[in-house]
Amino acid sequence: MRFGFLFISIRDLKSKKLKTIITVVGIAGIITSYLVMMAAANTMNDLVDETFSAYEYRLFVMKRGKEDPMVSQMPDWYVNKIVRVVNPEYIDGVSGFLWWMVDNSTSDDDTEFLTIRGLQVESYKSVIEKYEMVAGEELLDAQKDRNYCMIGINVAEKYEKAVGDTIILQEHAFTVKGIFTTSTMTDSEIWLTIRDAQNLVGKLHKVSLIVLKLTDHDYVDEVTKQIEDNIRGVVVFEADEYMEANAEALDSFRGVILAVSMIALTAAILGMMNTMTMTLRERRHDIGIMKSVGVSNKSIALIYAVEAVFLGFLGGIVGVLLGYFMLNVFGISNIDLAGYLISVNLTYQLAFESVIISTILGLVGGFYPIAKISRQRALDILQKFG
Amino acid sequence: MKSISSDLNVIEADDVWKVYRRGKTDVKALRGVSFRVREGEIVAIMGSSGCGKTTLLNIIGGLDKPTKGNIRVNDIELSSLGESKLTKFRRENIGFVFQFYNLLPNLTALENVQLPLIAQGMSKKERLEKATEFLQVVGLSDRLYHKPGELSGGEQQRVAIARAIAVQPSIILADESTGDLDSKTGEEIMELLRKINDQGQTIIIVTHDDMIAMTTDRIIQLRDGEIIENSGS
Ligand SMILES: Nc1ncnc2c1ncn2[C@@H]1O[C@H](COP(=O)(O)OP(=O)(O)O)[C@@H](O)[C@H]1O
Ligand SMILES: [Mg+2]
C-alpha cells in the first residue's frame, strides 16, 4: 500500500466540488437529525434516572383499581390512619398529595399541560428528597400560604415568572412564593397548599397519592402488609418500581428515537454507497490506467477509501455544527413532553461520537463499491470504458 | 541491426492461444502464436484491424493471460501468475503506451509520470527529479504543470511515453501510439521511441503505418490470430 497516491483523493474531491458539497450536506443532514434525537434521548434518560433515584426508599399508596396518581382518590384522613397503623420505627415520614394536570393550551396547535401538586405543608418535606430553593421561600403554613404557590425552575423559565409574580390557574390567581429545583421531572410542577388544591379541583378532603419514606428498604414488605391489612381498597407500591413500570411511554419514545436513528444511519450508508459507486464509475479509466502501470489493488482501494472517509468525516463535522446551531442558536433545545420541560444538551461526547459514526459510515458505505472495482482486472476495466 | 541488441531472449512465446467467449460463439483472437524477441530489439506488429495485435500485446505485458500456451517475459512464466503477481510484474518490467486513455485527466503531466514511480515506492524528491528528467527527454520541459486537457494529442502521447520510460522498464509496449496523430507528430513520436531503444530498452510497437514499421528491426505480421510473416526489415 502506497500513501504517495493520496494526493489523488484530494484532487478528485476538488475536481468534483459540487458533488463533494452535496454529499457532505446530505450526510450532515442525517447526522444532525441523529444528533438531535440522541441528545433528546440521552437527556431524557438522565432525567428519568435522576427522578427514579429520588424515589428510593419510598412507598406509594393509591386507590385500588385507580393506580395512577392523576386519577386515584382517597380521603385525606388515610394519611393519619397510616401513621397510626404502621410501626413508627419503620418510617421517616408520610404525606399526602393531590395531583392533576391543567390544560394550559392557548390554542389547538399549542397544547400545554401543567402538572399541579397540592402539598400537605406540615409533612411534604419529609418525603420529597432532593429539592433546593432557588429563590423566595417554601410553602409552610396551611393558613398563611393560601393563594401562594411554589414553582419548579422549568416553569419559572418557561413562563418567565419570578417571586411575587402571579400565576392564574383555572381563573384563580396564585402568587409565586418560591422557586425550587430538584433536577428531576418535578421541576416542571407547580405546588400549592393541599387546601387550595382541593378547592381548585373540587375534591375536598381528598388526596390522590400518599407517599411514605421508609427508614430502611428491608421494611417494604412489612409496611405494605400493615397498610393493606388495615386500610381497605388501597394498594402499596415501591416508588421506583411503580415509576419504572409506568415509564412505558418513555420506553416507547426512546424505542422510536432509536429506530428512527438507525433508519437515518442506514440511509446515510446507502447514500454513501451510491455516491462512491458513481464516483468510481467516473474514475474507471483512471483506475484501469493505474492498474496497468502497476499500482496495487490496496493502493487504489486506499485512495478511494480516504475519499469516502473524508466525506463521512466532513459530513459529521458539518452535521454536529448544524445540530449545535439548531439546538442553541435557533433555540429548539427545550422539548415539552406532556408538561415536562426537557432541556436537550449537546455533550462533547455525543458530538465526538457522531463524527466518529459519520466517518465509519463513510467507510462502510464506500467499502463494497471500492472492494468490487479494486478487485477487477485492469483490462476488464479499460475495455469496458473504451 | 544495432550492436546493442543481444542474443538474450526477453520474450518467448510458444503456441499462444487466446479464445474469447462471446455469447455462444468463441472468438479465437490468437491461434498458436510462437516467436522470440531479443533484448534491445525494436519490433513492429502489423496486421489488419481485429487480427489480434492488441490481444498479443496485452498478453506480453501481463494485462491478459493466454487461454493456452506459454509466454515467458524476462524469464518469468506469465501464464501461471495470479493478478497481484501480474501487477507487480507490470510495475517492474513493462512500460505501456496505449492508443487512447493514457493519462489521468485530473493530474498534471508531472504527476502522471510519477504514478509508476510512486507504485515502486520511490521517495518524493527522487521521483520528482526522475519525472522532470524524462519529461525533458520527451521535450515537454515547459509543460510540467499542464493537465492532459491542456495538451495536444501528440503532447499527451509524449507524456505517456515519459511515464512508460521513467521506470526504466526492460520492455516498452506501444499500441498504435501514433495512430491517432498526424504523420509529422507520429514521426516525432517514433523518433523518440527509437532514441529510447538506442539506450537498450526492448520496444514492441503495434502499427498500421508501413513507413513506421520500415524503421524497426523486425516486423511480425498477423492475420486472423496467426503469424504469417516474421522477418527483419
Ligand atoms: N474482451 C474481448 N472479448 C471478446 N472478444 C474480444 C475481446 N477483445 C478482443 N476481442 C476480439 O478478438 C479479436 C482480436 O482483437 P484485437 O486483439 O483487439 O485486434 P487488433 O488489436 O488487431 O485490432 C477481435 O475479433 C476482437 O473482436
Ligand atoms: Mg488493437
Side-chain angles (χ1 to χ4, degrees):
Chain A
M1 200 165 359
R2 301 286 177 198
F3 292 93
F5 289 112
L6 290 185
F7 75 98
I8 296 177
S9 320
I10 298 160
R11 203 62 61 80
D12 280 358
L13 290 166
K14 270 194 192 161
S15 77
K16 292 274 171 197
K17 278 199 194 73
L18 188 65
K19 205 172 96 187
T20 303
I21 291 169
I22 289 171
T23 308
V24 166
V25 168
I27 295 173
I30 290 171
I31 291 298
T32 301
S33 50
Y34 170 81
L35 187 82
V36 171
M37 284 188 294
M38 288 317 261
N42 287 349
T43 311
M44 272 175 48
N45 284 348
D46 291 351
L47 197 64
V48 168
D49 286 350
E50 279 286 325
T51 306
F52 284 4
S53 72
Y55 281 94
E56 272 172 351
Y57 286 104
R58 279 152 180 83
L59 294 183
F60 285 170
V61 181
M62 277 179 266
K63 179 90 177 166
R64 186 177 295 281
K66 290 187 175 173
E67 289 118 15
D68 175 345
M70 300 289 168
V71 182
S72 167
Q73 229 185 92
M74 298 166 290
D76 57 8
W77 53 263
Y78 276 17
V79 177
N80 297 327
K81 184 152 189 195
I82 286 171
V83 172
R84 271 192 321 245
V85 300
V86 176
N87 183 340
E89 279 178 22
Y90 294 169
I91 48 176
D92 256 358
V94 183
S95 190
F97 297 97
L98 184 61
W99 261 17
W100 79 102
M101 273 198 191
V102 172
D103 185 349
N104 199 44
S105 313
T106 51
S107 68
D108 281 350
D109 309 333
D110 158 62
T111 48
E112 276 187 1
F113 293 93
L114 288 170
T115 305
I116 318 287
R117 191 192 309 221
L119 309 174
Q120 291 188 316
V121 289
E122 53 287 343
S123 59
Y124 74 95
K125 289 175 78 174
S126 66
V127 298
I128 296 180
E129 175 108 20
K130 319 175 186 175
Y131 85 90
E132 279 170 32
M133 296 307 290
V134 178
E137 285 162 37
E138 295 158 308
L139 300 177
L140 288 174
D141 190 301
Q143 284 309 314
K144 280 194 220 148
D145 288 335
R146 295 194 70 169
N147 298 320
Y148 279 98
C149 66
M150 274 165 87
I151 58 176
I153 185 106
N154 283 349
V155 178
E157 280 172 6
K158 186 171 173 185
Y159 298 99
E160 294 177 350
K161 295 290 182 189
V163 174
D165 289 351
T166 6
I167 285 187
I168 311 285
L169 294 173
Q170 289 172 318
E171 292 162 11
H172 284 72
F174 292 89
T175 307
V176 177
K177 192 183 182 199
I179 299 170
F180 64 87
T181 178
T182 59
S183 303
T184 69
M185 298 199 286
T186 307
D187 283 356
S188 298
E189 293 183 354
I190 297 176
W191 293 352
L192 316 171
T193 64
I194 194 124
R195 191 63 56 77
D196 279 345
Q198 288 165 340
N199 286 334
L200 208 57
V201 275
K203 292 181 176 173
L204 293 178
H205 307 295
K206 302 284 187 201
V207 289
S208 48
L209 177 72
I210 299 170
V211 181
L212 285 83
K213 187 181 175 198
L214 303 180
T215 49
D216 194 296
H217 190 261
D218 289 348
Y219 304 140
V220 168
D221 292 341
E222 185 64 29
V223 172
T224 301
K225 193 174 176 319
Q226 287 170 347
I227 295 172
E228 289 184 351
D229 284 355
N230 288 286
I231 306 175
R232 256 203 259 146
V234 299
V235 223
V236 181
F237 297 98
E238 276 189 74
D240 45 2
E241 279 178 14
Y242 175 84
M243 305 223 339
E244 227 161 279
N246 285 275
E248 276 164 37
L250 286 179
D251 283 346
S252 64
F253 185 71
R254 273 177 285 180
V256 168
I257 284 184
L258 202 70
V260 173
S261 317
M262 289 306 120
I263 291 169
L265 293 184
T266 310
I269 289 178
L270 292 178
M272 196 63 212
M273 239 167 161
N274 183 47
T275 303
M276 284 317 288
T277 304
M278 271 162 49
T279 300
L280 294 173
R281 198 167 289 161
E282 279 167 23
R283 304 285 173 218
R284 279 196 85 82
H285 116 251
D286 294 19
I287 295 169
I289 286 174
M290 285 193 277
K291 291 196 130 190
S292 64
V293 304
V295 180
S296 71
N297 290 358
K298 281 182 191 161
S299 296
I300 290 171
L302 182 69
I303 293 171
Y304 297 101
V306 164
E307 276 188 37
V309 162
F310 176 80
L311 289 172
F313 176 75
L314 202 63
I317 297 275
V318 174
V320 166
L321 291 178
L322 227 65
Y324 177 83
F325 272 99
M326 280 179 70
L327 289 176
N328 295 298
V329 179
F330 300 114
I332 59 150
S333 61
N334 290 327
I335 298 178
D336 195 343
L337 191 77
Y340 291 117
L341 206 64
I342 294 172
S343 130
V344 177
N345 294 317
L346 181 56
T347 59
Y348 282 111
Q349 192 191 338
L350 184 61
F352 182 73
E353 276 171 12
S354 301
V355 174
I356 298 282
I357 286 176
S358 182
T359 308
I360 292 174
L361 201 129
L363 193 61
V364 171
F367 184 83
Y368 176 71
I370 291 171
K372 198 173 146 200
I373 197 157
S374 69
R375 270 204 296 266
Q376 281 182 43
R377 295 195 318 157
L379 199 59
D380 297 334
I381 297 173
L382 285 174
Q383 279 183 342
K384 238 176 244 174
F385 186 81
Chain B
M1 205 158 287
K2 294 179 298 289
S3 55
I4 275 176
S5 153
S6 73
D7 289 339
L8 194 72
N9 284 330
V10 285
I11 301 170
E12 298 176 4
D14 285 305
D15 194 27
V16 170
W17 287 73
K18 183 72 193 182
V19 182
Y20 293 109
R21 271 217 87 104
R22 199 186 277 158
K24 282 201 173 83
T25 56
D26 284 346
V27 179
K28 297 189 177 73
L30 295 175
R31 311 162 183 247
V33 170
S34 303
F35 66 96
R36 303 274 181 275
V37 175
R38 284 188 299 280
E39 189 178 32
E41 263 192 303
I42 180 161
V43 176
I45 296 177
M46 295 192 76
S48 56
S49 176
C51 70
K53 305 182 296 293
T54 297
T55 305
L56 182 58
L57 214 62
N58 287 342
I59 287 176
I60 295 169
L63 275 178
D64 208 349
K65 289 210 270 189
T67 312
K68 203 183 110 192
N70 294 315
I71 175 87
R72 292 180 73 78
V73 178
N74 286 339
D75 270 336
I76 301 165
E77 177 57 57
L78 298 185
S79 52
S80 60
L81 294 187
E83 274 310 306
S84 64
K85 288 260 173 62
L86 282 176
T87 304
K88 185 168 179 284
F89 162 80
R90 292 196 294 272
R91 184 160 69 222
E92 290 169 357
N93 298 276
I94 305 290
F96 276 106
V97 186
F98 302 106
Q99 183 175 6
F100 308 112
Y101 311 122
N102 263 306
L103 305 176
L104 268 58
N106 285 332
L107 307 192
T108 63
L110 201 56
E111 287 163 343
N112 265 292
V113 174
Q114 284 179 69
L115 287 179
L117 304 177
I118 300 171
Q120 288 189 343
M122 199 177 277
S123 77
K124 192 168 182 171
K125 185 169 170 288
E126 204 183 340
R127 67 183 198 238
L128 209 64
E129 278 172 14
K130 265 240 158 78
T132 312
E133 178 193 331
F134 283 96
L135 279 166
Q136 193 178 350
V137 169
V138 300
L140 291 176
S141 300
D142 55 345
R143 295 284 190 278
L144 300 184
Y145 301 102
H146 286 58
K147 290 186 178 169
E150 301 154 359
L151 297 171
S152 73
E155 285 171 331
Q156 289 184 34
Q157 280 306 44
R158 281 193 272 167
V159 175
I161 291 171
R163 188 183 60 202
I165 61 179
V167 290
Q168 287 157 300
S170 63
I171 301 167
I172 291 170
L173 303 174
D175 192 354
E176 304 195 37
S177 308
T178 59
D180 219 26
L181 309 173
D182 62 72
S183 57
K184 184 171 164 289
T185 317
E187 182 50 40
E188 276 169 22
I189 298 283
M190 215 28 234
E191 200 137 327
L192 188 59
L193 288 173
R194 272 194 299 271
K195 227 167 71 190
I196 293 158
N197 175 243
D198 286 342
Q199 313 287 313
Q201 274 153 305
T202 308
I203 298 185
I204 299 183
I205 54 173
V206 166
T207 182
H208 281 301
D209 192 332
D210 290 333
M211 295 302 286
I212 285 174
M214 294 288 272
T215 63
T216 61
D217 297 337
R218 187 147 59 101
I219 297 172
I220 293 176
Q221 191 85 38
L222 286 180
R223 185 192 289 157
D224 291 338
E226 285 176 300
I227 295 181
I228 54 164
E229 206 186 316
N230 184 351
S231 65
S233 57

